[in-house]
Amino acid sequence: MDVRLLRAAVDDADEIHAMQVEAFRELLEKYQDYDTNPGNESMEKVAGRLRQEFTFYYFICVGQRKVGAVRIVDRKEAGVNKRISPIFILPEFQGKGIAQKAILLCEEMHGKDNWELDTILQEQRNCHLYEKMGYGRTGRQEKVNEKLTLVFYEKKGLPV
C-alpha cells in the first residue's frame, strides 16, 4: 500500500478538523472524554496548532486519497522529545497498517530517536501498535474519567 505524508497548511484547518471529528467520533461516544478527545476540539484549536512554528501537520495519504492526519510537535531542540499528538485514520481505513507506515515516515522525516505520545489504555489495539513500533510505557498514567485512562509512551534512541 502506497502511504505518503503531505504537509498541511493553515488553510487546511477545516479539512483536518472535519476528518479529526469523524475519526474520533466513536471513541468520544464510548469514553465521553469531552475535554481531552481530539474529536471534540474546535476548528480554531486545530488552526492555532497549524500556526505554531514547532507543529508539523501531515495528511496521511493512500494514493491520492487523504485517509487521516498526524500532528508532530518538533521543537528541534537537543534532548527534547518530539511528540505525536494526535494521529488518526478515518474509520473505513483503520486496521490496514496505515498508521504504522505513517509513523515510520514521520520518524524518517523528523529523526528516529526521542519520541513521545499517549493513548487510551483501554484501547489495546492502539497500545499494541505503539509497543510493536518500539514505544515503551513510561509508567505514567492519567485517569480522565471512570471509563478512560491515558497511558504515556516514549521511544528513545540507543545510548551512545
Side-chain angles (χ1 to χ4, degrees):
M1 185 177 300
D2 175 37
V3 176
R4 62 186 177 82
L5 300 180
L6 174 65
R7 180 81 188 264
V10 175
D11 293 347
D12 297 313
D14 285 332
E15 186 175 8
I16 289 172
H17 180 258
M19 292 173 73
Q20 186 170 294
V21 167
E22 183 180 346
F24 283 100
R25 179 177 291 121
E26 185 180 316
L27 292 174
L28 182 62
E29 290 171 4
K30 182 176 182 179
Y31 295 109
Q32 300 172 359
D33 55 325
Y34 301 108
D35 293 333
T36 58
N37 189 303
N40 203 42
E41 290 179 351
S42 69
M43 199 286 298
E44 291 76 20
K45 187 167 186 175
V46 173
R49 286 182 175 150
L50 278 159
R51 289 186 192 97
Q52 295 171 331
E53 65 183 37
F54 52 83
T55 285
F56 300 81
Y57 260 104
Y58 300 97
F59 286 108
I60 301 168
C61 303
V62 174
Q64 298 302 311
R65 178 101 192 255
K66 294 174 183 169
V67 301
V70 58
R71 174 181 174 238
I72 303 299
V73 177
D74 185 355
R75 297 183 185 275
K76 299 190 183 296
E77 296 175 26
V80 176
N81 283 349
K82 296 168 285 271
R83 180 168 178 75
I84 297 173
S85 177
I87 183 170
F88 56 89
I89 306 295
L90 294 172
E92 63 267 31
F93 296 97
Q94 292 175 6
K96 300 179 186 302
I98 297 168
Q100 182 175 340
K101 289 179 181 176
I103 291 170
L104 289 172
L105 291 170
C106 289
E107 291 175 354
E108 284 177 20
M109 295 167 69
H110 291 272
K112 297 192 183 303
D113 300 336
N114 303 322
W115 287 87
E116 65 183 50
L117 56 85
D118 59 77
T119 193
I120 300 170
L121 177 64
Q122 292 80 359
E123 291 296 316
Q124 288 304 304
R125 283 181 36 200
N126 291 356
C127 294
H128 176 74
L129 165 67
Y130 300 129
E131 290 167 13
K132 177 172 67 172
M133 299 203 58
Y135 287 76
R137 294 186 187 197
T138 65
R140 179 177 167 215
Q141 294 187 5
E142 186 178 304
K143 187 173 183 174
V144 173
N145 61 33
E146 293 302 317
K147 299 176 181 182
L148 183 149
T149 300
L150 292 176
V151 60
F152 292 79
Y153 285 88
E154 197 169 46
K155 184 175 187 177
K156 290 290 188 186
L158 298 174
V160 178

